[in-house]
Amino acid sequence: MANQCGMDAFVKRLPRPQNERLSNVQDTPAESTATEADRPSKRLKRAQSTDSDSDESVSSSPERLPTLKQENESLSDDEEDGGRSHGVTDLESALPSTNLNKEAIEEYEAMRSSQINSADDSDKKEKIQPAWGKYKSSIYVDAFNLALDTVLDEESHLFDEKEMEVFRHWRDLGYEAQYLYVRLFLRKTASWHRHSRLGYHSDISDIEAVIDTLQRSQPLPQSDSAPKTGPLPGIDIFEFDLEDSFTFADASCDFITSVEEAASLLSLDELKALAKDAKFQGRNKAELIKSLSRMSSQQIGLMSLGLSRQVSSDSTTSEDEKVQNSDAGRKLRKEDSNRTKHFLGKIMDILGPCIRLSAGAFNLFQRVHLVFYRSTEWSEKSLTAIILAKIARRNFPEYIVCRTATIFTSRTHLLEYENAIRLEAEVDNIMEFNGPPGEEGFRKIIDLFQAVYSRWRSLIQTEREKERAVYEMGEGAYLRKFTPGHSYTRIVHKAAHVYGRLKDHLREHELLTELLDQRLFQMARRGGWYQRKALLEEHYMHALDPKPITTNPGQQKKHWRRVAVATCEAGLQDPDCHLIFHYDLQKRLVKLERKLRIPRRLQHDFGHVGLEKPLEHFIEGIQIKREIPAKLGKQASTKTIWLDELDTEKECSVEEMCLSSYRSQGWKGYHSEGGIIRTLFAYLFYDILFLYIPNVFQTAYQTCPLDLHTDAFFPARASECNHRLVEIANGEGKRLIREVWEREHVRRTSVIGLNWDFDIEDLIELVECFEGSALAAVCKVMAQEYRQRGGGIPDLILWRVRDNTGEATEHGSKAKGEVMFAEVKSANDRLSDTQRLWIHVLTGAGVKIALCNAVAKEVREVD
C-alpha cells in the first residue's frame, strides 16, 4: 500500500492469543506519529468547517446495507431523538471536542508528510512516491485505514475468505485511489457522481486513471459456504454476495440503463433545457423526469405504421396482412427501443461518465466501521475525531485502555446483530418517520415482533447464563448493547405499545410483565414499564383477566387495584427504576390506596418528598428593540435584548438581566444552563468515571467511558455509585471536589463536562449551601441518564450563605446556606418537557425552584 499509516498510538489493545491473530494479511510497517510514552499536554484550538465537496447526485444503487440508527437509551419515545444528535457515536462522544477545519487538516497532513519523508531518508532506499499533491498523506485515508487495521488486528475472525481478499486488494491500491474511494465513501449514500465534478485536483494527478483503477474487476476465491439463514424462521440474515469478482466502483455506462435513472442525475436547469429541445413539460424536477420517461417509452400510433384496426372477431385476415402486421410489430418495438436509446444517449452526453461505489465492497467497509465504532452512526467527523484528538495538545485522565475481541464473539453474532438493528430500523421507520402508521403499519410491527419473539426469549436465557458465568466486573451491562437481544427488546417494547393502540391490553400487559422480569436490556425503560403496567392493572385488567378470582365485578376490580399497588411498590423499590419515575409512581400509589380505603396509618406517606410548586418571580427591566434582518433562508432570532441597569449598563440577554437583579438581593450565581451541574458531577464522580471496566476505554484519548451516554453506566458501577451518593449526602462533596482540583487543575485534564474556568471557591461554597441529600439526588439523575439529562436544567443557579452555620439534616450534612434554580422566561415562552422533568427532580429533592418572568417596564427602540 502506498501510504499505510501506523496508528498504534491511537488504539491500545490487550494481547490476544497468537492463533487468533490475522495470519493471512501482511500489515505494512508504519511510522508512529508521536512519542507513545507521553500524552499531549496542551490544547490546540481549531475552528469548525464542513466538507466543501458537493455534487448533484441521487442515490441509485443495488441493495446495500441500510443506514441504521442505533437507538440511544432514553426514557420515552418522545425523548429518544432529543436526547442525542444523530450521527454521534459513543466513541466520538468520549473524545474531546475537536474542530475539523482546513487548517487543522493541513497541519496534520503536513506533519505526516514530513514523517514519511524523514523515514524514507533514514532508510536510504529508493521508494516510489506519489508525483502529485501537496502531501503524501490524508487524514481521511489515515483514519479509514486506522479503522480497518484495528478491526483486522483484533477481530479478523468476523470476516470470511472473500472479504479478506477484498482487504488485500485494498492494500494494493495506491494513495490516490484510496483517497478518492474514501472521499466518496464518506458521502455514505453510494450515489452516482460525475467525473467532471469530483474535484480533488490537489490530491489526485490523473483522476481518470484513478477511476479506471477503482472500476477494474478483481478476482475472488471460490467459496463453499452455504447461504446464511439465521436463527429466525422466515427472516434471512442480510448477506451481500461478492460473487467470483468485484470492483471497488461501478461505471455508469455499465449500470445506468433507464431514462428515469439517468434523468434523476441532471440538474433542474439541464432538465429544462432538454425539455425545451424535446418538447415535454413539467413544473418541477419530478414532473419533468416523469414526462421525459413517459415520452421515451410511449408507443407511436398504429396507423402511422400501416397497421389496420381489426373490426370484429370474425373478420378474416389474409396471410399477406399477417406478415405485414408482424413486420410492423417488430418495427414498433425497434422504434420504442431506438427512442429510449436516443434519450438515454442524449442524457449521458450531458452527464458525461459517472462513478458509484460498488455495493459489495461498500457494504463490507460499512461493516468494518460498524465493528470499529460499535455503532452505525459514524460520520466523517467520527472518522477523523480520534486522529485530531491525538494531535491536540491536551492532558487526558489516567485509566486502563482495553479493546478486546469479546464484543462480537463470532461472524454469526455480528451478522445477526446487523440483522437485528435492520429490523429495529424498519420498526422505527413505520412508527416515526412515515407519518401515522395506521392499522397496516401496526400489523407490520406485530408481524416483525412475532418473528423475533421466540429468539428474544432464548437470548434472554443465554444472557442470564453469561451474566452468571462469563461476564466480570460489570462489563455485561455494556457488552449486551452489541447483541441482537438489545434490538429485539426494543422491538418487543414497541410491540407492547402497538398492542395498547390496538386495544389488546391483555397482550400488552403480558409483554410488560416479561420485559420487567428481565434485568438485562433497556434498563432505562423500567420506570415507564412499571407506570404503564400499573395503569393497565388499575383500569383494564379486571375485565380482561382470563382466570378471574371471583365472579363479583367489584371484588375483581379491587383485586387488580391491589395488584397495581404491588406494581407501584415494586417500581419504587427497584434500584434500576430511575429516579425521575418515582413521583408518578408515588402519586398513583397514594391514589390507589385511597380508592381501596386502606386505613391512613397503613397508607404510604410521601410528604417528605412531595413536590413544591415553583415560586413565581417577576423582574422588571428595560427591553431594547432593534430591527435585526433575518439571514437568508433563516428565521429572525426570537431572543430579546435587555439593558443591565444594575451592573454594566450595557445590553445583555434576559438571563443576564435577571441574574443582576438576583445579585442585588444577595445571591451569587451563574448563567450556565447545566454547565455548572455537569462540572460538579465531573468533580464528584471523577474516580468512578475512570474506573476500570473492560471495553469502555478503547483509546488513550477519551474524556469519559464509552458507556457514560448509555443506560449501562450506572448498573455497571452500581456499588461504587451508591457509595459515592451516600458520601455526598453525608456532606463529603467539599472534600471530593478539593481533592480532584488539587490533583488535576494544574494539568487542566480533559474530562467530559468539567469546566476549569469555574472558580473553585465558588464551587466549594455552592456545594456547602446544598443539602447533601439534594446534591446526591441531582448526581444520581446525571449518573443514570447523563445524555438525556444534559439539557433542560434551569438557566440560573443561585446560592447565598446564611449567617449561621446551618442545621444538620437527617443525612448528617450541614447546609451553610440555600440554593435556588431559576428558569427565566420572557413573554410567550413555555416550559419544555425536559425542563419540567428537571423541575420535578429538583423540587422532589427539596431544592427551591423559581420561574422568573421578565417584564418590560420600558421598551426602547434603537436603530
Side-chain angles (χ1 to χ4, degrees):
M1 187 176 68
N3 184 32
Q4 177 66 36
C5 178
M7 298 291 175
D8 293 338
F10 296 149
V11 181
K12 295 185 179 180
R13 313 174 184 92
L14 292 183
R16 58 183 299 202
Q18 182 67 28
N19 59 359
E20 292 184 8
R21 294 182 182 173
L22 176 62
S23 58
N24 51 355
V25 174
Q26 296 297 323
D27 290 338
T28 305
E31 299 80 21
S32 175
T33 59
T35 305
E36 303 298 331
D38 301 320
R39 292 188 176 95
S41 59
K42 212 177 240 185
R43 177 177 180 176
L44 182 62
K45 286 192 174 181
R46 298 179 175 87
Q48 180 74 24
S49 78
T50 57
D51 188 5
S52 60
D53 301 323
S54 62
D55 205 345
E56 294 173 10
S57 54
V58 179
S59 180
S60 174
S61 60
E63 185 177 15
R64 300 170 189 270
L65 278 174
T67 302
L68 303 173
K69 174 171 70 69
Q70 182 63 47
E71 193 65 42
N72 57 313
E73 305 310 319
S74 58
L75 305 167
S76 67
D77 295 331
D78 294 336
E79 290 182 277
E80 283 170 1
D81 294 329
R84 67 181 282 189
S85 58
H86 295 319
V88 180
T89 65
D90 291 337
L91 180 58
E92 188 179 346
S93 298
L95 295 171
S97 58
T98 52
N99 292 322
L100 180 63
N101 67 359
K102 186 177 180 181
E103 290 75 19
I105 293 172
E106 288 184 352
E107 177 190 351
Y108 168 79
E109 292 177 351
M111 176 193 74
R112 287 287 298 134
S113 178
S114 64
Q115 290 175 342
I116 293 173
N117 287 331
S118 61
D120 292 343
D121 294 339
S122 63
D123 291 342
K124 295 183 179 179
K125 292 180 180 179
E126 289 268 343
K127 290 188 178 182
I128 300 175
Q129 300 294 347
W132 188 262
K134 292 179 292 184
Y135 310 118
K136 295 175 290 184
S137 176
S138 162
I139 191 171
Y140 302 106
V141 177
D142 287 352
F144 187 94
N145 286 325
L146 164 63
L148 178 61
D149 293 344
T150 303
V151 169
L152 292 183
D153 187 42
E154 293 294 341
E155 294 164 286
S156 60
H157 62 283
L158 301 177
F159 303 94
D160 63 18
E161 184 181 1
K162 281 189 175 183
E163 292 165 346
M164 298 301 287
E165 185 68 19
V166 173
F167 298 144
R168 289 193 192 91
H169 285 298
W170 169 260
R171 294 178 187 280
D172 290 337
L173 291 177
Y175 161 73
E176 293 184 354
Q178 287 193 354
Y179 179 85
L180 178 59
Y181 187 92
V182 172
R183 296 298 302 200
L184 296 180
F185 182 80
L186 285 172
R187 301 184 185 189
K188 294 185 74 171
T189 56
S191 307
W192 288 109
H193 306 280
R194 305 188 199 188
H195 292 193
S196 58
R197 295 186 178 180
L198 286 176
Y200 311 129
H201 300 298
S202 63
D203 291 271
I204 300 174
S205 56
D206 186 347
I207 199 160
E208 292 299 330
V210 169
I211 290 173
D212 287 342
T213 299
L214 293 177
Q215 292 177 341
R216 189 177 302 137
S217 179
Q218 306 287 355
L220 290 175
Q222 296 290 332
S223 176
D224 299 328
S225 60
K228 300 290 182 183
T229 57
L232 304 178
I235 298 181
D236 294 336
I237 285 182
F238 182 85
E239 182 76 285
F240 44 84
D241 187 6
L242 289 171
E243 300 180 345
D244 297 328
S245 63
F246 83 101
T247 61
F248 284 106
D250 298 331
S252 55
C253 59
D254 297 329
F255 287 87
I256 297 181
T257 57
S258 71
V259 170
E260 185 175 3
E261 182 180 8
S264 67
L265 303 178
L266 294 174
S267 68
L268 181 58
D269 289 339
E270 290 168 337
L271 270 173
K272 285 180 178 178
L274 184 61
K276 185 176 180 180
D277 182 46
K279 305 296 188 295
F280 62 89
Q281 296 179 341
R283 291 172 296 181
N284 51 44
K285 186 172 182 178
E287 289 187 6
L288 287 168
I289 293 173
K290 190 174 181 181
S291 298
L292 176 59
S293 301
R294 191 186 306 117
M295 172 179 283
S296 67
S297 60
Q298 69 183 5
Q299 294 185 354
I300 57 180
L302 297 177
M303 298 304 292
S304 66
L305 291 174
L307 293 180
S308 60
R309 185 185 301 274
Q310 224 170 316
V311 182
S312 68
S313 58
D314 342 296
S315 59
T316 59
T317 307
S318 68
E319 290 299 320
D320 290 341
E321 287 175 328
K322 290 180 180 178
V323 171
Q324 183 182 357
N325 288 346
S326 175
D327 292 342
R330 284 195 294 271
K331 183 179 179 182
L332 174 64
R333 290 191 295 272
K334 184 178 180 181
E335 186 76 18
D336 289 342
S337 176
N338 288 341
R339 181 182 291 260
T340 300
K341 288 180 180 177
H342 168 74
F343 280 109
L344 184 59
K346 204 162 189 177
I347 294 171
M348 295 309 297
D349 287 341
I350 298 172
L351 290 172
C354 299
I355 182 176
R356 178 187 68 187
L357 298 190
S358 300
F362 179 83
N363 288 333
L364 176 58
F365 285 121
Q366 287 268 46
R367 181 174 290 167
V368 168
H369 285 74
L370 166 66
V371 175
F372 179 75
Y373 288 105
R374 317 304 196 196
S375 170
T376 59
E377 291 191 329
W378 59 271
S379 65
E380 174 183 324
K381 187 176 179 184
S382 313
L383 199 64
T384 56
I386 189 170
I387 291 182
L388 292 180
K390 169 66 174 70
I391 65 174
R393 298 178 178 90
R394 304 181 177 211
N395 293 310
F396 292 88
E398 296 294 331
Y399 50 77
I400 299 174
V401 179
C402 166
R403 181 184 175 101
T404 68
T406 59
I407 287 186
F408 299 112
T409 55
S410 66
R411 177 180 173 81
T412 302
H413 174 184
L414 173 61
L415 295 181
E416 188 183 358
Y417 172 70
E418 234 177 33
N419 185 71
I421 55 179
R422 178 173 61 86
L423 296 177
E424 183 185 354
E426 190 174 341
V427 171
D428 283 341
N429 287 333
I430 296 171
M431 289 288 289
E432 300 170 14
F433 303 118
N434 293 314
E439 187 82 12
E440 183 182 355
F442 288 152
R443 291 301 170 191
K444 286 181 181 178
I445 292 173
I446 295 301
D447 291 342
L448 287 171
F449 155 72
Q450 290 173 344
V452 305
Y453 178 59
S454 59
R455 177 61 176 165
W456 173 68
R457 297 185 69 179
S458 68
L459 286 172
I460 293 291
Q461 295 301 322
T462 301
E463 287 299 316
R464 282 175 177 157
E465 182 62 25
K466 289 169 70 175
E467 186 67 23
R468 184 187 65 81
V470 178
Y471 294 139
E472 297 178 357
M473 303 183 68
E475 64 178 329
Y478 183 62
L479 293 184
R480 274 190 292 273
K481 182 183 176 184
F482 306 103
T483 66
H486 184 273
S487 292
Y488 294 158
T489 303
R490 190 165 177 276
I491 293 174
V492 175
H493 161 74
K494 291 283 188 180
H497 171 74
V498 169
Y499 278 118
R501 294 287 299 274
L502 295 174
K503 307 300 180 185
D504 189 351
H505 296 304
L506 179 60
R507 184 62 176 138
E508 181 187 10
H509 184 267
E510 291 171 349
L511 289 184
L512 290 172
T513 302
E514 285 194 77
L515 286 166
L516 285 168
D517 284 344
Q518 59 86 29
R519 292 180 175 273
L520 301 167
F521 299 105
Q522 305 279 343
M523 300 290 280
R525 299 184 186 275
R526 292 186 67 81
W529 294 336
Y530 279 117
Q531 286 179 339
R532 181 64 182 176
K533 183 171 180 282
L535 182 146
L536 294 176
E537 290 162 351
E538 180 183 357
H539 295 292
Y540 298 103
M541 289 305 297
H542 65 276
L544 301 172
D545 191 351
K547 296 179 180 179
I549 62 169
T550 178
T551 57
N552 185 319
Q555 291 298 318
Q556 183 72 359
K557 186 176 289 189
K558 187 176 289 187
H559 163 72
W560 276 103
R561 283 176 177 169
R562 291 195 189 99
V563 175
V565 166
T567 298
C568 292
E569 291 175 337
L572 292 170
Q573 294 168 6
D574 187 344
D576 297 317
C577 177
H578 289 188
L579 191 63
I580 65 167
F581 294 104
H582 283 203
Y583 174 65
D584 286 336
L585 289 172
Q586 291 164 357
K587 191 166 64 171
R588 185 175 297 278
L589 180 54
V590 169
K591 182 181 72 171
L592 287 167
E593 288 177 336
R594 287 175 184 164
K595 286 184 176 181
L596 290 169
R597 297 184 179 179
I598 293 175
R600 181 170 290 277
R601 67 181 184 279
L602 299 178
Q603 291 183 17
H604 289 84
D605 181 11
F606 299 110
H608 63 290
V609 292
L611 297 185
E612 295 183 9
K613 289 186 178 181
L615 303 171
E616 285 273 356
H617 291 173
F618 294 88
I619 295 180
E620 294 183 339
I622 299 174
Q623 185 176 357
I624 307 295
K625 282 203 172 181
R626 179 185 293 111
E627 287 294 332
I628 302 177
K631 294 183 179 179
L632 186 63
K634 296 183 178 180
Q635 292 184 342
S637 174
T638 58
K639 289 189 175 183
T640 55
I641 304 173
W642 298 74
L643 184 66
D644 188 353
E645 298 178 90
L646 302 176
D647 190 2
T648 62
E649 292 287 341
K650 296 179 180 178
E651 293 180 2
C652 65
S653 66
V654 64
E655 293 87 2
E656 294 296 333
M657 187 271 291
C658 292
L659 182 58
S660 290
S661 177
Y662 281 119
R663 283 173 176 160
S664 68
Q665 301 171 34
W667 293 92
K668 295 182 178 181
Y670 287 100
H671 170 215
S672 63
E673 296 184 353
I676 200 165
I677 293 297
R678 289 188 288 272
T679 293
L680 288 176
F681 179 79
Y683 271 114
L684 295 170
F685 275 69
Y686 186 96
D687 54 331
I688 296 175
L689 283 170
F690 300 103
L691 186 70
Y692 173 71
I693 300 288
N695 288 296
V696 300
F697 293 107
Q698 298 195 9
T699 81
Y701 311 100
Q702 292 178 211
T703 63
C704 68
L706 294 181
D707 63 347
L708 177 62
H709 297 90
T710 73
D711 62 354
F713 177 81
F714 192 90
R717 306 159 181 80
S719 176
E720 292 82 2
C721 286
N722 286 323
H723 180 72
R724 179 55 44 84
L725 293 172
V726 171
E727 287 184 306
I728 295 170
N730 287 334
E732 296 293 320
K734 174 183 176 181
R735 175 184 62 80
L736 293 168
I737 291 175
R738 184 71 72 180
E739 287 177 356
V740 172
W741 187 84
E742 289 178 351
R743 186 175 67 246
E744 306 290 342
H745 85 278
V746 174
R747 301 173 66 239
R748 293 179 72 88
T749 307
S750 294
V751 180
I752 191 167
L754 200 159
N755 185 345
W756 292 105
D757 294 333
F758 285 117
D759 185 78
I760 185 63
E761 298 305 325
D762 281 348
L763 295 178
I764 294 294
E765 192 173 81
L766 171 60
V767 167
E768 288 179 324
C769 289
F770 256 111
E771 294 285 354
S773 58
L775 183 57
V778 171
C779 288
K780 185 173 184 179
V781 170
M782 294 295 291
Q784 288 179 331
E785 299 170 344
Y786 189 89
R787 187 188 297 279
Q788 291 76 32
R789 299 306 139 226
I793 300 174
D795 300 306
L796 309 181
I797 183 168
L798 308 160
W799 71 93
R800 58 185 175 192
V801 180
R802 296 194 191 102
D803 293 335
N804 55 23
T805 58
E807 298 177 356
T809 68
E810 58 182 305
H811 293 287
S813 71
K814 293 183 178 181
K816 287 177 58 177
E818 58 181 326
V819 175
M820 180 172 69
F821 286 83
E823 181 64 39
V824 178
K825 294 296 175 189
S826 54
N828 301 321
D829 277 351
R830 296 291 182 270
L831 292 174
S832 67
D833 289 339
T834 54
Q835 289 170 338
R836 292 180 188 279
L837 191 144
W838 262 112
I839 289 173
H840 282 184
V841 169
L842 294 168
T843 53
V847 180
K848 188 183 295 185
I849 295 287
L851 294 180
C852 179
N853 299 284
V855 179
K857 64 180 181 182
E858 179 185 345
V859 177
R860 296 181 184 175
E861 294 192 3
V862 181
D863 294 334

